[in-house]
Amino acid sequence: MSTSARAPKTIEELRDALRLKETREAEALVNFDPVKEAFRKYMNRCLSASSTTKQLPDWKDVDEYLLERRMSRQAREVGVELEKIVDEDCKNRPYELLPHASLFALRIMTFLKSKEGEVYDISLEDHAAGRWEDVQFDRCVRIMALLGFLVNQDRMKKAEELSRDQEIQAIMKENNWI
């Protein structure tokens, strides 16, 4: 998914992508502490300067990555939690977006399965989802839409700050009499 092409740019687009009934639900989700914290960690831990400009991994890649890690020897035999395995991979690969996006997805999945988050976990066809895999795939698609929205919002905020800074510098340059 390209952060510029398919990710929601407005709160209304996010509402539709997440199948929420009202815009205030999308606003509440974005402002929930677990969501803000997961995104903060994504932005802080992913050392790639392109973490907000590069294309985000596709939901299929994130799902495949998580399945590979879930089926790894470390997870199956040693019993290490999936989040710890992905977290370690993030530390070992700080410039790659896939592990960081996957860790964000894991954190949001945990939130969506909580009592607070279950109201935002609206699966296909009004909860009449078929197989377990379909529910997981759908959840991953929606989580990546959320990440794309948050990245777009961050990018727009930084562009506004840059524009404002350039305006201030231009004014200072005009008024500089030295």
Side-chain angles (χ1 to χ4, degrees), residues 118-160:
E118 66 186 8
V119 297
Y120 303 105
D121 193 16
I122 301 170
S123 60
L124 291 167
E125 300 175 21
D126 297 331
H127 305 288
R131 300 181 342 205
W132 179 82
E133 293 88 2
D134 293 339
V135 173
Q136 291 300 105
F137 294 156
D138 180 59
R139 185 177 289 137
C140 196
V141 169
R142 290 180 285 119
I143 289 171
M144 291 307 294
L146 175 61
L147 179 58
F149 172 79
L150 294 170
V151 166
N152 276 333
Q153 293 299 304
D154 185 72
R155 188 174 59 197
M156 288 189 298
K157 181 178 149 189
K158 286 180 180 175
E160 288 172 8

Side-chain angles (χ1 to χ4, degrees), residues 1 57-64 136-138 140-141 144:
M1 168 191 300
D58 189 66
W59 72 268
K60 293 174 188 173
D61 297 329
V62 170
D63 183 67
E64 184 178 315
Q136 291 300 105
F137 294 156
D138 180 59
C140 196
V141 169
M144 291 307 294

Side-chain angles (χ1 to χ4, degrees), residues 3-11 13 149 152-153 155-156:
T3 55
S4 60
R6 292 183 280 166
K9 290 182 176 68
T10 66
I11 199 74
E13 290 174 1
F149 172 79
N152 276 333
Q153 293 299 304
R155 188 174 59 197
M156 288 189 298

Side-chain angles (χ1 to χ4, degrees), residues 33-48:
D33 285 340
V35 174
K36 291 192 313 190
E37 182 66 10
F39 185 65
R40 184 189 67 77
K41 287 182 178 179
Y42 168 81
M43 293 300 291
N44 287 343
R45 300 272 307 275
C46 188
L47 298 178
S48 174

Side-chain angles (χ1 to χ4, degrees), residues 30-83:
V30 169
N31 289 313
F32 239 99
D33 285 340
V35 174
K36 291 192 313 190
E37 182 66 10
F39 185 65
R40 184 189 67 77
K41 287 182 178 179
Y42 168 81
M43 293 300 291
N44 287 343
R45 300 272 307 275
C46 188
L47 298 178
S48 174
S50 63
S51 64
T52 60
T53 58
K54 194 175 177 184
Q55 287 189 354
L56 289 174
D58 189 66
W59 72 268
K60 293 174 188 173
D61 297 329
V62 170
D63 183 67
E64 184 178 315
Y65 171 85
L66 290 174
L67 180 62
E68 286 174 6
R69 296 303 177 262
R70 190 175 286 120
M71 293 296 156
S72 70
R73 186 187 70 74
Q74 191 178 16
R76 289 184 305 131
E77 294 175 11
V78 181
V80 178
E81 290 180 24
L82 181 59
E83 188 169 338

